[in-house]
Amino acid sequence: GSLIGNGAAHYLRWIYERFDLVLAPSRAMCDYLRSLGLSRVALQPLGVDAGVFHPSLRNEDLRGELGLDADTRLLVYAGRFSEEKNIPLLHQAMAQLGSRYHLLLVGGGERRRAAANITVWPYRRDSAELASVLASADALIHAGTAETFGLVVLEAMACGRPVVGIRAGAVPELVDETVGVIAARAAAALLAKAVRDLYDRDVN
């Protein structure tokens, strides 16, 4: 609620104003910190190891491992399954997209088929394994609306994959029409349309 939120903001301001400089990974986070009354804030984006996250790690057998036809349109999400990641929204969008599309959710518990066109895999601790999965899908899909940076977005792009995201948080700072498609807001129909638009435009 607002009381707890105001208390947290006051605490953050009290902590951060004691430093000479506060580095933030995105313009959205810089704006938030400045809204707390902090003036000594600088943008310092994150990066990824392009020697690990690289298109050369593409695995052409991934669809076979998932039991999918070779022409299935394969999307991937990788990350925590926490509330702010909007995993239920991904489920809703996939239900609208139908059987021609399949979503691999990386970051859950045991391997399982969560829906007719959704597979869940456990979290990948090894960066090279994660890079291989990202490079082997057609695109990354990300429904989070509260990202302070969105490192997996950068990892997917380093693997040569486009990104479908939502115009919220820091994701729009990384994704434009040259590297993906952004849905205007967190709605299943808009997210599904963004996926279709991406394939219609340039995914091969």
Side-chain angles (χ1 to χ4, degrees), residues 139-161:
L140 176 81
I141 185 169
H142 195 290
T145 57
E147 292 296 332
T148 57
F149 182 76
L151 191 61
V152 71
V153 171
L154 209 60
E155 291 170 342
M157 290 193 293
C159 290
R161 298 295 86 198

Side-chain angles (χ1 to χ4, degrees), residues 5-154:
N6 291 337
H10 178 77
Y11 176 74
L12 288 176
R13 183 171 61 250
W14 179 80
I15 289 289
Y16 288 152
E17 68 185 4
R18 283 158 172 72
F19 292 91
D20 296 324
L21 185 65
V22 178
L23 300 176
S26 64
R27 290 188 292 275
M29 182 52 66
C30 286
D31 291 343
Y32 171 70
L33 292 172
R34 289 178 183 128
S35 76
L36 298 180
L38 298 169
S39 59
R40 299 186 299 274
V41 177
L43 176 65
Q44 177 57 65
L46 303 177
V48 300
D49 187 342
V52 174
F53 292 91
H54 193 273
S56 63
L57 291 177
R58 184 172 179 85
N59 173 14
E60 299 295 345
D61 296 329
L62 180 58
R63 284 171 176 76
E65 292 178 29
L66 294 169
L68 306 176
D69 292 336
D71 61 349
T72 301
R73 296 181 164 189
L74 181 59
L75 304 162
V76 64
Y77 163 86
R80 293 178 291 114
F81 281 27
S82 51
E83 183 177 355
E84 71 272 13
K85 302 299 184 180
N86 286 337
I87 302 299
L89 183 62
L90 292 177
H91 281 256
Q92 294 164 19
M94 292 306 298
Q96 294 193 20
L97 287 168
S99 60
R100 189 180 182 190
Y101 298 81
H102 197 90
L103 173 61
L104 175 58
L105 294 169
V106 180
E110 73 283 356
R111 288 192 181 210
R112 59 189 173 89
R113 184 63 65 94
N117 62 346
I118 299 176
T119 298
V120 176
W121 276 8
Y123 174 71
R124 290 294 192 263
R125 296 186 180 277
D126 183 87
S127 295
E129 288 184 13
L130 175 59
S132 179
V133 173
L134 293 175
S136 304
D138 294 330
L140 176 81
I141 185 169
H142 195 290
T145 57
E147 292 296 332
T148 57
F149 182 76
L151 191 61
V152 71
V153 171
L154 209 60

